[in-house]
């Protein structure tokens, strides 16, 4: 399967899932997750229509940035405070904000570049020890604190990584919890809290996530193949 046909297939599933939830495929943004994949592969995806790509490591963004065609870059993985300065002028959205400390550093660097940085608050609704993110109980406080203390940060929504489930429908309750918080803020937009992205769903569970209201999916494996076995497959 080529990258192009994989993207077509993902888009078909995305469209079908969106229709199930009373929307169209255009209401759901596909972010192609390109970690551990080469600039050549990424450019192939861009040629096939991908407009947004996601990386989970700052170093990979820096390594590939000049080799990849114009595209919107998303930082989707855990971000260390000391690395914010390297990507502040390169990414359009940081999906993984889970502390006021990190938000303040983003705010400081954004101010230095005279820009407003769009971020998502990462919610660990299943409260898995292995994952980053705030609990659903902590989410309101973090949103209020960022909105009050970080003038160069705009909170655009929420991000969630659900537990891996053999049957992705089993992840739906975790998505639903985050959707509920999303809806609350989407209904009361301010200039700092301006929700329009609910980032939920990966290769294994993006259809379930869309059915629960996600409007941004982060898909890697279904587009580029398995990361670990990639070199063997070729
Ligand atoms: C790797 C990654 C993805 C994509 O995972 P796939 O299972 O390959 O689709 C999505 N979100 C985050 C935060 C990731 O690190």
């Amino acid at each position: 399967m080529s990258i192009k046909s994989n993207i077509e297939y993902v888009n078909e599933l995305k469209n079908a899932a969106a229709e199930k939830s009373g929307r169209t495929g255009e209401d759901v943004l596909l972010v192609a997750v390109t970690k551990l994949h080469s600039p050549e592969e990424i450019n192939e995806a861009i040629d096939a229509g991908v407009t947004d790509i996601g990386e989970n490591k700052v170093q990979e963004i820096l390594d590939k940035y000049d080799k990849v065609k114009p595209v919107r870059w998303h930082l989707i993985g855990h971000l260390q405070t000391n690395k914010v300065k390297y990507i502040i002028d390169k990414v359009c959205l940081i999906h993984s904000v889970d502390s006021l400390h990190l938000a303040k550093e983003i705010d400081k660097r954004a101010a230095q570049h005279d820009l407003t940085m769009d971020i998502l608050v990462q919610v660990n609704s299943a409260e898995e020890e292995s994952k980053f993110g705030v609990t659903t109980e902590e989410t309101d406080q973090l949103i209020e604190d960022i909105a009050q203390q970080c003038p160069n940060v705009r909170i655009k929504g929420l991000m969630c990584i659900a537990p891996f489930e053999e049957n992705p429908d089993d992840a739906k309750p975790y998505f639903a919890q985050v959707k509920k918080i999303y809806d609350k803020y989407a209904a009361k937009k301010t200039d700092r809290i301006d929700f329009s992205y609910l980032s939920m769903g990966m290769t294994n569970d993006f259809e379930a996530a869309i059915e629960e209201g996600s409007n941004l999916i982060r898909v890697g494996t279904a587009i580029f193949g398995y990361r670990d076995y990639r070199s063997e497959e070729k």
Side-chain angles (χ1 to χ4, degrees), residues 33 35 56 76-77 159 161 202-204 218-222 227:
V33 176
K35 64 190 182 204
N56 68 339
I76 60 173
M159 184 271 239
I161 304 174
M202 316 183 4
T203 292
N204 183 57
R218 310 174 310 270
V219 179
T221 307
R227 286 175 289 273

Side-chain angles (χ1 to χ4, degrees), residues 56-71:
N56 68 339
K57 292 214 169 82
V58 166
Q59 190 58 49
E60 278 199 65
I61 295 179
L62 301 179
D63 289 345
K64 297 173 194 174
Y65 195 75
D66 289 331
K67 302 183 184 118
V68 168
K69 295 180 181 188
V71 71

Side-chain angles (χ1 to χ4, degrees), residues 150-221:
C150 304
N152 284 66
V153 168
R154 189 164 44 211
I155 312 165
K156 294 296 290 183
L158 304 173
M159 184 271 239
C160 165
I161 304 174
F164 180 90
E165 301 285 358
E166 210 59 55
N167 177 355
D169 282 346
D170 294 342
K172 283 182 170 178
Y174 304 112
F175 294 134
Q177 283 181 359
V178 182
K179 170 72 156 75
K180 207 172 149 196
I181 305 173
Y182 176 86
D183 284 343
K184 186 171 82 182
Y185 287 96
K188 52 167 189 182
K189 289 190 189 220
T190 70
D191 54 344
R192 298 279 174 67
I193 305 176
D194 182 14
F195 273 32
S196 49
Y197 293 118
L198 181 54
S199 169
M200 309 193 297
M202 316 183 4
T203 292
N204 183 57
D205 59 15
F206 71 86
E207 294 167 273
I210 293 171
E211 286 171 31
E212 291 301 316
S214 163
N215 63 20
L216 187 165
I217 56 173
R218 310 174 310 270
V219 179
T221 307

